[in-house]
Amino acid sequence: MRLGIWVTAVVITAALVIVTARNGKGFAEPGTLIAVLGFLVAAGGLVRNLLHDVAEAEQEASSPERLDRLAGRLAEAVKDEWQEEWRLRRLQDPDPLPVPWALPEPWLSDASGDWHDTVDPGDRWENIAEVFNRVSSRRMVVLGVPGSGKTVLAVRFTLDVLRRRQPGDPVPVILSLSSWRPDRESLRTWVAASLATIRIARVRGLLANGRVLLVLDGLDEIPPPLRTRAVSRLNAELDTATPVLLTCRTQDYAEQVERGDAFTSAAVVELRPPSFDDVSTYLVRTARPMRGAAGERTTRWDSVLANLRDRPDAPVCRTVRQVLETPLMVAMARAVYGNGRADPAELLDPRFTNPADLEQHLLEGFVPAAFSDSPEAGRAGRWLGFLAAHLERRQARDLAWWRLRVALPWPLRRLGPILLLGAVGVTISLALAPTAGLVAPVAATAVLVGVCIGYVVLSHGPGLTLLQRGRVVRGLSPVVGTAVVLGAIVGTTARLGGEAFDPLIFGPRKSDPWNLVDGGEPAWLALTAGLATVVVLAVIGIVGEPVPSTASFSGRRQSRTALVLAAAAVLTAVGSYLLWGSDTLVIGVSVSVMTLLYALTAVSGAKASPDAGSTVAARHRPQGRARRRRRLGQAMGRGLSAGLIAGSCLGASFGLAAGAVLAIRTGMHQAIPEGSDAFTLRQGIHCARTPGGWSHCKSPEGERFVRASREAEVVRVDDKPSWAGTPQFTKVACAKGKRCTTFRGLIELHVPTRRFDIAPVVIRLPDGTYANWYPWYPVDQLPPPTLQWLTEPGPGLRFSNTVTFGLVSGLAIGLVGGIVAALHRWLFSPVDIVSALSPRASLRTDRTTAITQGLIVSLFGSLATFLPFLALQEQESSLGGQVSALVWPLVGSLAIALSAWGWFLTARLWLCGTGKLPWHLMTFLNESHRRGVLRQEGAVYQFRHARVQTQLAAAYEQQAFDTT
């Protein structure tokens, strides 16, 4: 309730500011000042209540019952994911290769006490979970040489723990350490980001309450300079009671212990090579059977293994036996020769006397053997080699579809979707140039440049969506700095025109606060509009590193979102019709129909899956109306706070910079020059003669006027109000009985300081009286420099108008952007859903989310802007509605383009168009996963082993080098 009151206060006071400024009185009136102060007080209270409500929400999210539910769902998701991965790796077909383990040298272990007594001589790697439970610290490090089966052991450990898990026990989660940069982020931050590949809310709560058992795979995959930092963070950030299983290569861990520190209180085991008998049995069991001479079962491996057993000291046999001591090479041998298409007897070729050459041979044959029955067999190796080289250059293992943009050339890597969308817009504007002129292409290009500048600046900042201490200033400083620079540029390049004479030619009247820069350059204004567009996107949370969305749109939630969008589309169509009439009705109806089709599709999809529409939704949606209202209030508070603060800072910085520069330029331009042509007209009034026959004059109060150099005959007509003109122009009025007075002498033309009912220019008659100057033709004959000097506003008025426009526009942008951000946050806030996400499912989810959020931004942004303009005058509302119709679809389009799915589309267009990857990329990656070349970890793929990735990358680079 308190949050709603503060939000209402913010909206009302912001509306008062806008309406007051719209009346042309600026901030000089006491009512406006009170409104501004009220806005500041309301905004401060809003932020205070927001932080208080967020703290309450976090406390509620950490309740034991809710954590138990989340932990149970997380266990189900992890179990489903790794059971599927276990089957795809054929580890159950028929059984995994037995890998023995033993205790390493004691100095590698930092376990408190002598845990060696708990080790049973009969322990094998199959019961590693039981051994882990015997360690009092529940911390263990698994060592081994490259390819010794450490990852397979981690998967077996995870499945065994899940199989025996009881309610309240921690959930094992396998995370690859290759993506962690301990010099940039803490362990908990990285774990929370990694678990985003699984749909799970309240990750930090589970971590803080000991509900997660971390299975950290591949400490050796962290770059050596950062490995010591990683171990230090593990020791410092994990509680002593936190269970952890860590895997690492033996040599790398030994170097780490010597150079830095060991993993505190962790027991250490080391995987040893399997015996030759176990390897022989495994290869024979997994090979395709053949009929022997007497009908017995035999395989192509039988003669090779017999040769290895009978001649162990032969150079080739010794090499083969040594290579087959590594489980990875055994798996490669099974993949290459197990299907019967290749003969393993070639392993006894004399050229394989070097173990490195034999391992190279097996690795090179792995991908062709995996794709032997695929129509893409000839190109699969090249495509996988490009992906492997891409990961090797980044020193990464995770093949994430949303990070493929890193493989793009610069500047596509930084601005790909923006440039693609901008190219479409500029092309359309150029196509319309023959009929509409060059204004549209220039404006479209300027908006594109502004969006690019704003995105480059804001994408490096901490973001504008979180109002936390220490982040507000850092988040807004790029906005303020860029706005100041653009404001200074606009103030420097804007034309110093006189708009007060003719609003249709020179723009709005000078007392109108909506006039940003009188006669300003449209290109610079469009560039500033592009920056404002990116600020709105930053408030919504779209600017920055693209991360796939995990928002769920299944069942009732999808139906609710679709119906909300449909209602917004209908209201937008009605608003466009009321603003512009029947000309835009077709566009509005088209948008409404497309959105309604989306809504009907979503509703039919929900009905088609009753489990998603009832069971899952009922299971996972927040409990109780109070919680839903609180979530809406928090979303409204966060959105409005971020929007109003960012918008006001943007508008104030731009207005102050542009206004200051314009005021300085105006003062210099309006100064009376000193020299031979200067004279004093009256006391304190200085003038200067110009070649055009008119004198520029300025009073001590700063009033400017022009004085004629020749006498003229003027007739004043005493009417209400009185006006003057030439005898020919006033002849009809005088004939009708109006009182007329004729003057002859030097006249002066003045621009009044306030609006007049008839004419914007008044004449000072020779007797010192003033009258409206109705006939404009003598003014039209003024030289352009004199007309400009006469009609342009003074420095103070220009500064106040520009600052007022900046503040009002910033508040309007912040208010509408905050409302849209609040609705976006409310609809896309995470719910208590936990499920395993595959890469293809993650892509589909993000695509749905991106399109939905683009529609939300476009429709509700336009709707929130239409409503105020409907209350304005017809001409002004039409102009504002047209601006709204252009801005918010642009914001919505950019929201879609800058999503993870939009970045993926851009990367796919370039990489697939250049032949580096197939057009059906996700299908190909899924096929590679099914064939065992890739493994899946949440929403990302990884190559089966680091050595497979290295081999493919080296082969691709060598092929590219040979081609060049």
Side-chain angles (χ1 to χ4, degrees):
M1 180 62 69
R2 290 180 303 167
L3 183 61
I5 295 175
W6 285 109
V7 171
T8 305
V10 170
V11 175
I12 293 176
T13 50
L16 288 175
V17 172
I18 295 175
V19 172
T20 305
R22 189 77 181 112
N23 291 332
K25 298 180 181 180
F27 291 103
E29 296 293 332
T32 307
L33 183 59
I34 294 175
V36 173
L37 293 178
F39 165 73
L40 295 177
V41 173
L46 176 62
V47 173
R48 183 181 66 83
N49 282 276
L50 168 65
L51 297 177
H52 176 71
D53 289 341
V54 169
E56 290 184 351
E58 291 178 351
Q59 182 178 2
E60 178 187 358
S62 301
S63 61
E65 296 79 8
R66 193 169 189 179
L67 291 176
D68 287 340
R69 292 196 302 270
L70 289 175
R73 295 166 190 166
L74 176 61
E76 296 176 2
V78 173
K79 183 178 180 180
D80 293 340
E81 176 184 357
W82 289 109
Q83 278 185 340
E84 178 68 17
E85 193 67 21
W86 188 267
R87 288 191 293 269
L88 287 175
R89 296 189 192 186
R90 302 180 67 183
L91 295 175
Q92 86 296 346
D93 181 21
D95 290 311
L97 174 66
V99 179
W101 58 272
L103 300 179
E105 296 181 6
W107 66 277
L108 292 175
S109 176
D110 189 47
S112 56
D114 189 8
W115 81 278
H116 300 73
D117 297 337
T118 63
V119 179
D120 191 304
D123 289 333
R124 299 179 60 85
W125 77 289
E126 293 89 344
N127 65 335
I128 187 66
E130 297 180 4
V131 178
F132 180 85
N133 290 329
R134 296 179 203 156
V135 181
S136 58
S137 62
R138 291 175 59 78
R139 291 187 178 190
M140 180 176 289
V141 178
V142 178
L143 303 179
V145 298
S148 59
K150 298 182 294 296
T151 300
V152 175
L153 177 65
V155 175
R156 180 64 178 262
F157 170 80
T158 299
L159 293 177
D160 287 346
V161 172
L162 289 174
R163 191 176 300 112
R164 304 173 184 178
R165 179 181 178 272
Q166 299 296 324
D169 292 345
V171 181
V173 177
I174 301 178
L175 299 175
S176 176
L177 286 169
S178 59
S179 61
W180 185 27
R181 291 299 177 265
D183 58 330
R184 303 175 186 173
E185 56 187 349
S186 66
L187 176 67
R188 293 186 181 275
T189 301
W190 170 74
V191 170
S194 300
L195 286 179
T197 58
I198 300 176
R199 287 189 197 149
I200 176 171
R202 319 300 178 191
V203 176
R204 295 184 182 273
L206 291 176
L207 291 173
N209 290 273
R211 302 302 181 95
V212 176
L213 192 162
L214 296 177
V215 181
L216 305 177
D217 185 27
L219 177 64
D220 52 275
E221 294 176 3
I222 298 179
L226 301 179
R227 203 171 294 151
T228 301
R229 177 64 173 164
V231 175
S232 298
R233 278 192 177 274
L234 288 174
N235 293 333
E237 298 182 21
L238 293 177
D239 298 332
T240 56
T242 303
V244 178
L245 179 73
L246 179 67
T247 69
C248 185
R249 293 179 180 179
T250 303
Q251 182 178 356
D252 294 324
Y253 190 76
E255 293 176 354
Q256 166 60 35
V257 174
E258 291 178 348
R259 183 175 59 250
D261 192 10
F263 186 30
T264 304
S265 303
V268 182
V269 297
E270 182 180 11
L271 299 181
R272 298 296 173 86
S275 65
F276 179 76
D277 292 338
D278 289 339
V279 171
S280 301
T281 303
Y282 178 79
L283 290 176
V284 170
R285 292 192 63 189
T286 57
R288 177 178 296 180
M290 300 174 59
R291 185 177 184 276
E296 74 278 7
R297 181 188 186 278
T298 185
T299 67
R300 291 187 175 183
W301 277 107
D302 290 347
S303 60
V304 176
L305 295 173
N307 201 336
L308 295 175
R309 187 179 296 107
D310 296 338
R311 302 171 54 205
D313 295 330
V316 175
C317 295
R318 186 168 58 250
T319 299
V320 175
R321 290 175 66 107
Q322 179 181 346
V323 169
L324 293 182
E325 289 179 351
T326 305
L328 173 64
M329 292 298 116
V330 176
M332 295 294 101
R334 175 188 179 183
V336 174
Y337 301 109
N339 54 16
R341 291 186 174 90
D343 190 352
E346 65 181 6
L347 296 178
L348 301 178
D349 192 292
R351 71 178 187 272
F352 295 132
T353 56
N354 187 354
D357 295 336
L358 182 56
E359 291 178 354
Q360 182 79 7
H361 169 74
L362 292 175
L363 291 171
E364 288 178 350
F366 173 54
V367 173
F371 284 88
S372 58
D373 58 346
S374 171
E376 306 293 348
R379 296 177 291 178
R382 186 176 74 253
W383 293 334
L384 290 170
F386 171 79
L387 294 174
H390 161 64
L391 294 178
E392 285 291 308
R393 285 190 292 268
R394 295 177 50 233
Q395 295 183 346
R397 290 290 312 279
D398 292 342
L399 180 57
W401 56 265
W402 62 91
R403 295 197 187 110
L404 281 177
R405 69 185 185 95
V406 182
L408 295 173
W410 197 95
L412 292 180
R413 185 167 59 251
R414 296 290 304 152
L415 301 168
I418 299 176
L419 295 177
L420 181 63
L421 190 62
V424 174
V426 172
T427 302
I428 295 175
S429 62
L430 287 174
L432 299 177
T435 57
L438 295 178
V439 177
V442 171
T445 304
V447 170
L448 173 61
V449 173
V451 171
C452 292
I453 293 175
Y455 187 81
V456 169
V457 172
L458 292 181
S459 61
H460 291 289
L464 305 178
T465 57
L466 295 178
L467 299 178
Q468 298 177 355
R469 293 182 179 179
R471 298 192 62 177
V472 176
V473 176
R474 291 189 293 114
L476 292 175
S477 56
V479 179
V480 173
T482 308
V484 168
V485 173
L486 290 180
I489 294 176
V490 170
T492 304
T493 59
R495 180 172 61 88
L496 298 178
E499 81 294 348
F501 180 72
D502 189 350
L504 299 179
I505 298 177
F506 297 100
R509 297 175 184 266
K510 65 183 179 183
S511 57
D512 190 348
W514 293 90
N515 178 26
L516 169 60
V517 282
D518 311 316
E521 297 294 336
W524 288 113
L525 297 180
L527 190 148
T528 308
L531 172 64
T533 299
V534 181
V535 171
V536 174
L537 292 173
V539 170
I540 298 174
I542 297 175
V543 173
E545 181 72 19
V547 178
S549 172
T550 56
S552 174
F553 283 93
S554 59
R556 296 182 181 179
R557 189 170 186 179
Q558 186 177 16
S559 304
R560 181 186 64 185
T561 304
L563 293 176
V564 169
L565 288 175
V570 173
L571 292 176
T572 304
V574 173
S576 63
Y577 174 75
L578 294 177
L579 281 172
W580 305 325
S582 58
D583 294 338
T584 60
L585 185 60
V586 176
I587 300 176
V589 171
S590 301
V591 174
S592 301
V593 169
M594 288 188 295
T595 311
L596 285 173
L597 289 176
Y598 172 83
L600 292 176
T601 303
V603 174
S604 62
K607 292 181 178 179
S609 56
D611 293 337
S614 58
T615 306
V616 175
R619 241 176 96 191
H620 296 153
R621 70 174 179 266
Q623 300 295 322
R625 296 181 179 178
R627 182 176 301 169
R628 289 193 294 269
R629 286 196 300 267
R630 186 180 299 109
R631 194 177 69 191
L632 176 60
Q634 293 169 3
M636 187 64 67
R638 287 175 179 266
L640 284 177
S641 300
L644 291 174
I645 293 176
S648 59
C649 289
L650 170 69
S653 336
F654 178 85
L656 288 172
V661 176
L662 282 171
I664 295 174
R665 290 181 58 210
T666 302
M668 297 174 59
H669 181 261
Q670 294 176 358
I672 300 298
E674 298 180 359
S676 57
D677 294 331
F679 64 94
T680 301
L681 178 64
R682 293 184 290 273
Q683 182 179 3
I685 298 179
H686 302 282
C687 301
R689 294 183 179 89
T690 62
W694 293 82
S695 298
H696 296 181
C697 303
K698 193 172 185 180
S699 67
E701 294 78 16
E703 181 185 1
R704 288 168 289 109
F705 61 91
V706 295
R707 179 181 176 85
S709 300
R710 296 185 300 271
E711 292 186 351
E713 186 175 346
V714 181
V715 178
R716 184 182 68 196
V717 179
D718 294 333
D719 203 349
K720 297 180 180 179
S722 62
W723 56 278
T726 61
Q728 295 81 2
F729 193 85
T730 59
K731 182 178 180 180
V732 176
C734 296
K736 293 182 178 181
K738 299 288 185 181
R739 181 180 176 181
C740 299
T741 305
T742 302
F743 300 89
R744 185 173 183 80
L746 298 178
I747 63 173
E748 298 174 1
L749 297 179
H750 294 246
V751 175
T753 56
R754 61 184 182 88
R755 300 187 185 204
F756 278 64
D757 296 333
I758 298 179
V761 175
V762 297
I763 182 173
R764 187 180 189 273
L765 300 173
D767 65 343
T769 61
Y770 292 86
N772 287 327
W773 183 250
Y774 190 75
W776 291 356
Y777 68 90
V779 181
D780 293 337
Q781 297 175 1
L782 288 174
T786 300
L787 179 62
Q788 174 182 340
W789 186 86
L790 173 65
T791 56
E792 66 182 1
L797 185 58
R798 188 182 292 273
F799 177 80
S800 63
N801 285 347
T802 306
V803 174
T804 301
F805 173 84
L807 287 174
V808 172
S809 301
L811 286 175
I813 292 173
L815 181 63
V816 178
I819 293 174
V820 175
L823 184 63
H824 176 271
R825 183 181 295 274
W826 177 59
L827 290 176
F828 292 89
S829 58
V831 295
D832 293 348
I833 292 182
V834 179
S835 60
L837 279 182
S838 66
R840 300 185 74 176
S842 175
L843 178 62
R844 288 193 297 267
T845 300
D846 191 74
R847 178 180 59 198
T848 304
T849 304
I851 296 175
T852 305
Q853 72 182 5
L855 290 173
I856 288 176
V857 171
S858 299
L859 296 178
F860 282 90
S862 301
L863 182 62
T865 311
F866 281 155
L867 294 180
F869 282 119
L870 289 176
L872 301 176
Q873 299 177 4
E874 180 179 357
Q875 181 178 355
E876 295 167 334
S877 64
S878 177
L879 177 62
Q882 293 174 13
V883 173
S884 171
L886 293 175
V887 170
W888 286 107
L890 173 63
V891 176
S893 302
L894 286 172
I896 298 176
L898 292 174
S899 65
W901 175 65
W903 275 104
F904 173 75
L905 284 183
T906 305
R908 181 183 172 193
L909 286 175
W910 179 267
L911 298 176
C912 301
T914 55
K916 296 178 179 178
L917 291 175
W919 283 104
H920 300 286
L921 177 57
M922 298 306 294
T923 302
F924 171 72
L925 294 178
N926 184 62
E927 181 69 10
S928 301
H929 175 227
R930 188 181 66 83
R931 294 177 180 271
V933 180
L934 299 177
R935 68 186 186 190
Q936 178 184 317
E937 186 174 320
V940 301
Y941 288 115
Q942 293 180 345
F943 281 91
R944 179 166 181 167
H945 194 272
R947 295 195 62 184
V948 176
Q949 175 179 312
T950 303
Q951 164 61 31
L952 289 171
Y956 178 83
E957 296 290 354
Q958 183 63 40
Q959 182 181 5
F961 178 79
D962 295 340
T963 303
T964 57

